[in-house]
Amino acid sequence: MSRIKSFAAPHKGLRNVIGKFTLKLGHTDFKSASDLRKLQALGAEMFLLLNDHVQTENEYTLRRLEDRAPGSSDHDMHDHERLEEIQATLEQQLALFTGNESPDDIHAYYLGFSKFQSEYLLHTYDEQMVTHLLLQKYFTDEGLTEHRKAIMQ
């Protein structure tokens, strides 16, 4: 019988929005005010979802896991802090784009975001391959269901 996969749905959604943003970023005409606004709106939505997700994971998932297995969430918490710093910089840079950026500035942002995307995807992979197993070890499916209900509230 398949066990509850706490990270599967939220990580799938985050991979989707990050992928959409990367595609849009690579095709945006920064000289077009309309195109730039659309990119910034998608970016704002993506960063909001990323921020909400990390807060939820820290507050609900990792805190509860830490209560049962001290030290088990250290790696994820460290990753979250590191990724949040990179993310905050990218979010601020995106918000400050005016359409007057040079092609080199845009390319540098694209590469910086691509690096973030790679690191973020590796982090979610690690959570699904390591942290997921810890959750299943220390919580029953009923406990994971209650956990999910608490997050939804």
Side-chain angles (χ1 to χ4, degrees):
M1 184 167 127
S2 182
R3 299 274 323 266
I4 290 177
K5 293 175 176 52
S6 299
F7 295 118
H11 285 177
K12 185 183 284 187
L14 293 174
R15 288 183 191 108
N16 181 45
V17 73
I18 290 170
K20 285 180 180 179
F21 180 79
T22 303
L23 183 63
K24 182 84 171 149
L25 176 59
H27 288 92
T28 294
D29 175 2
F30 277 67
K31 298 293 182 200
S32 165
S34 174
D35 280 4
L36 181 54
R37 278 194 306 274
K38 288 176 185 173
L39 176 70
Q40 288 171 322
L42 179 58
E45 177 185 353
M46 175 190 64
F47 289 125
L48 178 69
L49 291 170
L50 290 170
N51 286 326
D52 182 64
H53 177 71
V54 75
Q55 290 174 4
T56 298
E57 266 190 14
N58 288 346
E59 180 63 26
Y60 292 94
T61 307
L62 298 179
R63 182 175 55 84
R64 290 179 181 192
L65 180 58
E66 192 66 23
D67 288 345
R68 300 234 177 143
S72 62
S73 65
D74 289 349
H75 179 265
D76 289 338
M77 293 296 282
H78 174 73
D79 273 1
H80 287 173
E81 290 171 9
R82 183 179 57 79
L83 290 168
E84 282 181 293
E85 287 179 20
I86 298 166
Q87 180 182 314
T89 299
L90 291 167
E91 185 175 9
Q92 182 180 29
Q93 289 173 329
L94 179 64
L96 294 175
F97 282 141
T98 63
N100 295 318
E101 291 72 30
S102 72
D104 288 342
D105 291 337
I106 296 165
H107 186 67
Y109 183 81
Y110 182 84
L111 291 178
F113 187 81
S114 294
K115 184 174 188 263
F116 168 76
Q117 178 182 21
S118 298
E119 292 179 21
Y120 195 89
L121 294 178
L122 181 58
H123 167 72
T124 60
Y125 174 82
D126 288 345
E127 284 183 332
Q128 289 187 248
M129 298 304 292
V130 177
T131 310
H132 166 72
L133 295 177
L134 290 170
L135 289 171
Q136 290 189 337
K137 178 179 178 179
Y138 290 102
F139 293 90
T140 63
D141 278 348
E142 293 77 20
L144 293 173
T145 298
E146 289 303 314
H147 171 217
R148 184 179 290 168
K149 287 178 185 176
I151 291 171
M152 289 182 190
Q153 289 175 354

